[in-house]
Amino acid sequence: MTQLVILPHDEFTLRLDNIRKALKSNNIDAAVISDNANIYYLTGRVFAGYIYIPAAGPEIFFVRRPVGLEGDGVVYIRKPEQMAESIGLNAPETLALELDITSWTDIQRLSAVFPESKIANASPVMRAVRSVKSPYEIERLRLSGQKQERVYRRVPHLFRPGMTDLELQVEIERVSRLEGCLGQFRISGDSMELYMGNILAGENADNPTPYDFAMGGEGLDPSLPVGCNGSVIRPGDSVMVDVNGNYTGYMTDMTRTFAMTQVDALAAKAHSCSIEICKAIAAAGTPGVHAKELYGLAEKMAREAGLEAYFMGHHQKAGFVGHGVGIEINEQPVLAPRSKDILAEGNVIAVEPKFVIPGVGAVGIENTYVVTASGMECITSAPEQIISFS
Amino acid sequence: MTQLVILPHDEFTLRLDNIRKALKSNNIDAAVISDNANIYYLTGRVFAGYIYIPAAGPEIFFVRRPVGLEGDGVVYIRKPEQMAESIGLNAPETLALELDITSWTDIQRLSAVFPESKIANASPVMRAVRSVKSPYEIERLRLSGQKQERVYRRVPHLFRPGMTDLELQVEIERVSRLEGCLGQFRISGDSMELYMGNILAGENADNPTPYDFAMGGEGLDPSLPVGCNGSVIRPGDSVMVDVNGNYTGYMTDMTRTFAMTQVDALAAKAHSCSIEICKAIAAAGTPGVHAKELYGLAEKMAREAGLEAYFMGHHQKAGFVGHGVGIEINEQPVLAPRSKDILAEGNVIAVEPKFVIPGVGAVGIENTYVVTASGMECITSAPEQIISFS
């Protein structure tokens, strides 16, 4: 038998307490959590089942799989209807379910287990609590950042003249995996898809995608239209490397730009502008700042540099310049024009001011930052200039 | 500009006609489709948006991203509410949405666009239509099977004594990617997670997972508890290789077992039993057969061989012996004890009678088959015996 909760006790208590506070302040009496990312957040492991969290009272872990877990509040069930037996007469007046993530069919089934409860939405509660990382979580992220940095330092040595973008990506994937990258790229919701990362070489960067990523790419097949497309990397091309940083269950997000030869002046200027925008956002990003102001700052700097037409894409533009990151790649806060998010100490934010320069490709960098009282601290600290392959 | 629909015209018409027939026979007046897998099925590409399919009348492609698509019925929108303008007074009496896949929140929003429509479930309709593959789809699957087979034939040459299961997996991943594997492992629903495939060496095969896969494994981290766990491959271990077969947008699913030295007699017997079960199911699996009978056949053969305790897992057992496969890994029909599915010509089914032998590991094979009038035709035809690494 194995303990179900594998988080350190204080960490587990802290996270649960934060959720209970958030439930109370939203007048919610209990939540049922079943999303893998949220279950991992609450326990330190993924299991199939449900966590029942009353705002006041002990939590219950309803487990379907795997066999062999134990601990306070662990109850094995085969189907969600069996939760009613354990909760019994204490049915909550208002019950929060993960309405933004769970399918309509599953919500109907779960609601029917609690026929007298009024259903509320647990998704905003979980997003808000998870957006503020604990020191323990920040350590996990720092570790991912360090490992990811080691991989990026090896990228120039993986390149061989004549390589396609795919061939380079495959070697980066290999090195990442051997460094301990778990591969899994967790995205909340099921509309975004990406395998391991995005290597964009040359003009492929201007191919638009259906996905809500900062950059595009045609992809290898119309069934997964994003990223590298098998084109040979040529002198003068920029090669943007934005590859999976999930080494610990927590992801950092880092982008660097490489090239065989010097890129043209416009691309070089845009790359420098990206570095400057990152610095400016890192300095301005203190607790209490509105996320949309940081987007505005980036957009203004790009405009003043005369780079507006290339900022966050050329044929197709992304609508944000940064996003929270942690267990999933699309967490809060979001640095976008209409974002309502306000920065808080402990937010972890990937900032990715990127440009697509016609005839050259994508340039710019991305770093992951921790919001501290005095500004944003970078935890992905590889060299930022355009890095030469040769 | 690029044509939105990239399927051959006849293929596109066939698929849409089949969906319209299914809608009519379920008394549904229209469907709105937005799941990536279903959008890919209907058009040959993934886009962000919605396909509006009336049971009678022309379909409309509402596109959010990417820019630049054109063709009959293509309408660009920024948000789902804009669909109402195009559909106007023709609001369907009964409207099917993908209730089993789409989040509760998104269904509420979509339903509000059609306030006078009664909402029905498009998910079973799409699952049923997609479970019968057209000759065109079967060709895509055959091609995936051929490429996957080439990768499996290289596996013995990738092994080096002293390797960990992870190191072997990384080399298999690399070869798969260079052979054209797209990497993306599409699973309907968001409860199952796996990166690229599952390499199970030795006793790690008996570690249970939360996921609904046939086999388990501890994984590298509790955030993704499935598959290889970094243990060194030893003489006497079995090494089960079950790696991503998505080369064309359509996946084949194939498993083979490898070993450094001969495995013990019990494991060898179980492996032979797996091959025999595959043969028996392939012979018995004709149109009209109940999927649960094929599960029963497998279970009976395992029991009669005295291998019941190891069949489909040891500490934890999977509840099925086969599953439909195509754009996603968990399609219909499902070969399980309580399955209500009935085989039809054109079903494509992965059959995976596997055993976990204590002290040895996982043994058995998996093949992908096409259901034909005369039985099931194997499209993953690599050698089936336990393959020696050396």
Side-chain angles (χ1 to χ4, degrees):
Chain A
M1 300 293 277
T2 314
Q3 284 294 313
L4 184 145
V5 175
I6 51 180
L7 288 176
H9 181 73
D10 289 355
E11 183 68 19
F12 170 66
T13 305
L14 175 74
R15 296 187 193 182
L16 261 180
D17 284 354
N18 285 339
I19 290 168
R20 288 201 164 97
K21 271 181 219 154
L23 293 177
K24 280 176 195 158
S25 75
N26 286 283
N27 296 313
I28 295 167
D29 300 306
V32 169
I33 298 301
S34 62
D35 175 58
N36 287 345
N38 284 333
I39 284 185
Y40 173 63
Y41 176 73
L42 280 163
T43 65
R45 73 160 75 242
V46 173
F47 67 85
Y50 308 87
I51 308 178
Y52 179 76
I53 310 171
E59 61 280 0
I60 308 175
F61 303 95
F62 293 103
V63 183
R64 287 197 298 109
R65 281 162 67 106
V67 297
L69 299 178
E70 63 176 358
D72 290 347
V74 173
V75 176
Y76 271 85
I77 59 171
R78 282 169 293 103
K79 50 185 186 175
E81 287 72 17
Q82 292 173 277
M83 288 196 281
E85 299 163 21
S86 298
I87 294 161
L89 297 174
N90 302 313
E93 201 169 309
T94 301
L95 174 73
L97 303 175
E98 296 157 307
L99 302 182
D100 294 355
I101 304 171
T102 314
S103 74
W104 188 92
T105 300
D106 286 345
I107 291 293
Q108 293 307 111
R109 187 169 177 182
L110 281 173
S111 303
V113 179
F114 301 89
E116 282 154 38
S117 300
K118 188 182 144 222
I119 301 302
N121 193 353
S123 294
V125 171
M126 293 304 298
R127 274 201 299 270
V129 171
R130 277 176 46 196
S131 75
V132 177
K133 274 72 177 175
S134 68
Y136 178 91
E137 291 181 286
I138 291 169
E139 276 314 305
R140 309 292 288 172
L141 283 153
R142 276 185 207 283
L143 188 57
S144 280
Q146 286 158 14
K147 294 193 176 198
Q148 197 178 13
E149 189 190 325
R150 279 207 283 276
V151 168
Y152 275 67
R153 286 182 186 274
R154 291 186 60 185
V155 169
H157 311 291
L158 300 172
F159 177 78
R160 299 282 172 272
M163 255 187 175
T164 65
D165 51 6
L166 171 64
E167 287 165 345
L168 178 61
Q169 174 156 350
V170 171
E171 299 311 322
I172 297 172
E173 289 171 1
R174 178 175 179 276
V175 168
S176 296
R177 291 280 281 156
L178 292 173
E179 189 66 44
C181 182
L182 300 171
Q184 194 71 14
F185 186 68
R186 282 207 175 84
I187 305 172
S188 184
D190 54 10
S191 63
M192 288 161 79
E193 302 172 307
L194 181 68
Y195 180 71
M196 190 64 181
N198 191 343
I199 311 292
L200 284 178
E203 297 210 311
N204 182 39
D206 213 3
N207 283 315
T209 78
Y211 305 113
D212 196 20
F213 296 116
M215 292 285 112
E218 180 185 26
L220 298 164
D221 188 270
S223 68
L224 187 64
V226 62
C228 70
N229 67 349
S231 48
V232 173
I233 297 169
R234 299 168 313 173
D237 285 350
S238 62
V239 181
M240 177 170 274
V241 174
D242 183 1
V243 74
N244 190 319
N246 176 10
Y247 290 82
T248 63
Y250 284 79
M251 281 181 269
T252 41
D253 202 357
M254 166 159 43
T255 300
R256 291 295 183 267
T257 299
F258 301 81
M260 291 175 73
T261 56
Q262 259 192 332
V263 297
D264 78 15
L266 180 63
K269 179 182 175 184
H271 190 80
S272 298
C273 182
S274 172
I275 296 173
E276 293 308 314
I277 291 172
C278 282
K279 279 186 194 156
I281 288 180
T286 48
V289 168
H290 287 252
K292 68 180 177 189
E293 289 174 20
L294 298 180
Y295 178 87
L297 174 61
E299 201 268 336
K300 179 168 173 276
M301 288 177 73
R303 195 173 58 243
E304 287 176 0
L307 295 165
E308 202 177 353
Y310 318 111
F311 181 57
M312 299 311 295
H314 174 238
H315 278 139
Q316 177 173 288
K317 286 175 180 291
F320 63 94
V321 75
H323 54 88
V325 65
I327 298 168
E328 293 174 308
I329 202 68
N330 49 348
E331 301 200 352
Q332 288 181 334
V334 179
L335 310 190
R338 292 191 215 174
S339 177
K340 288 173 183 159
D341 300 336
I342 295 173
L343 265 63
E345 198 167 339
N347 285 160
V348 173
I349 306 175
V351 180
E352 49 179 331
K354 295 174 178 173
F355 297 86
V356 173
I357 308 296
V360 176
V363 294
I365 61 166
E366 174 177 32
N367 282 319
T368 300
Y369 299 89
V370 179
V371 176
T372 74
S374 58
M376 291 163 63
E377 182 201 345
C378 180
I379 58 171
T380 49
S381 49
E384 298 183 337
Q385 75 281 11
I386 296 181
I387 298 155
S388 172
F389 278 135
S390 41
Chain B
M1 298 294 277
T2 314
Q3 283 295 313
L4 185 145
V5 175
I6 51 181
L7 289 175
H9 182 74
D10 289 354
E11 183 68 19
F12 170 68
T13 305
L14 174 75
R15 296 187 193 182
L16 261 182
D17 283 354
N18 286 337
I19 290 168
R20 288 202 164 95
K21 273 181 217 153
L23 292 177
K24 280 177 194 155
S25 75
N26 286 282
N27 296 312
I28 295 168
D29 300 305
V32 169
I33 298 302
S34 62
D35 176 58
N36 287 344
N38 284 334
I39 284 185
Y40 174 63
Y41 175 73
L42 279 163
T43 66
R45 73 162 73 243
V46 173
F47 67 85
Y50 308 87
I51 308 178
Y52 179 76
I53 310 170
E59 60 282 359
I60 308 176
F61 303 95
F62 293 103
V63 182
R64 286 197 301 109
R65 283 161 64 105
V67 297
L69 298 179
E70 64 176 357
D72 289 347
V74 173
V75 177
Y76 271 84
I77 59 171
R78 283 170 293 103
K79 50 184 188 176
E81 288 72 18
Q82 292 174 276
M83 288 195 281
E85 298 163 22
S86 297
I87 294 162
L89 296 175
N90 302 313
E93 201 168 309
T94 300
L95 174 73
L97 303 175
E98 296 156 308
L99 302 182
D100 294 355
I101 303 171
T102 313
S103 75
W104 189 91
T105 300
D106 286 345
I107 291 293
Q108 292 308 111
R109 187 169 177 181
L110 280 173
S111 302
V113 179
F114 301 90
E116 280 153 40
S117 299
K118 187 181 145 223
I119 302 301
N121 194 353
S123 295
V125 171
M126 293 304 299
R127 274 200 298 270
V129 171
R130 277 176 45 197
S131 76
V132 177
K133 274 73 178 173
S134 68
Y136 179 90
E137 290 182 286
I138 291 170
E139 276 313 304
R140 307 292 289 171
L141 283 153
R142 277 186 206 282
L143 187 58
S144 280
Q146 286 158 13
K147 295 193 175 199
Q148 197 177 15
E149 190 190 325
R150 279 207 283 274
V151 168
Y152 275 67
R153 287 182 185 273
R154 292 187 58 185
V155 169
H157 311 290
L158 300 173
F159 177 77
R160 299 284 173 273
M163 255 186 176
T164 65
D165 51 5
L166 171 64
E167 287 165 345
L168 178 61
Q169 174 156 350
V170 171
E171 299 311 321
I172 297 172
E173 288 171 1
R174 178 175 178 275
V175 167
S176 296
R177 291 280 281 156
L178 291 173
E179 188 67 44
C181 181
L182 301 172
Q184 194 71 13
F185 186 67
R186 282 209 174 82
I187 305 172
S188 183
D190 54 10
S191 63
M192 288 162 80
E193 302 173 306
L194 181 69
Y195 180 71
M196 189 66 184
N198 192 343
I199 310 293
L200 284 177
E203 297 210 310
N204 182 39
D206 213 2
N207 284 315
T209 78
Y211 304 113
D212 197 20
F213 296 116
M215 292 284 113
E218 180 185 27
L220 298 164
D221 187 90
S223 68
L224 187 64
V226 62
C228 71
N229 66 350
S231 47
V232 172
I233 298 169
R234 300 167 314 174
D237 285 350
S238 63
V239 180
M240 177 170 273
V241 174
D242 183 0
V243 76
N244 190 320
N246 177 10
Y247 291 82
T248 61
Y250 284 79
M251 282 180 270
T252 42
D253 202 358
M254 164 158 45
T255 300
R256 292 295 184 266
T257 300
F258 301 82
M260 291 175 73
T261 57
Q262 257 192 335
V263 297
D264 78 14
L266 180 63
K269 179 182 175 183
H271 190 82
S272 298
C273 183
S274 172
I275 295 173
E276 292 308 315
I277 291 172
C278 281
K279 279 186 194 155
I281 288 180
T286 48
V289 168
H290 287 253
K292 68 180 177 187
E293 288 174 20
L294 297 180
Y295 179 87
L297 173 61
E299 201 269 336
K300 179 166 174 279
M301 288 177 73
R303 195 172 58 242
E304 286 176 359
L307 295 166
E308 202 177 353
Y310 317 113
F311 181 58
M312 299 311 294
H314 174 239
H315 279 138
Q316 176 173 290
K317 286 177 180 290
F320 63 94
V321 74
H323 53 88
V325 65
I327 299 169
E328 295 175 307
I329 201 68
N330 50 348
E331 301 199 354
Q332 286 180 338
V334 179
L335 311 190
R338 293 192 215 173
S339 177
K340 288 173 183 159
D341 299 336
I342 296 173
L343 267 61
E345 198 167 339
N347 284 160
V348 174
I349 306 175
V351 180
E352 48 179 332
K354 295 174 179 174
F355 297 87
V356 173
I357 308 296
V360 176
V363 294
I365 62 166
E366 174 176 31
N367 282 320
T368 299
Y369 299 90
V370 179
V371 176
T372 74
S374 59
M376 290 162 63
E377 182 201 346
C378 181
I379 58 171
T380 50
S381 50
E384 297 185 336
Q385 75 282 9
I386 296 181
I387 297 154
S388 173
F389 277 135
S390 40

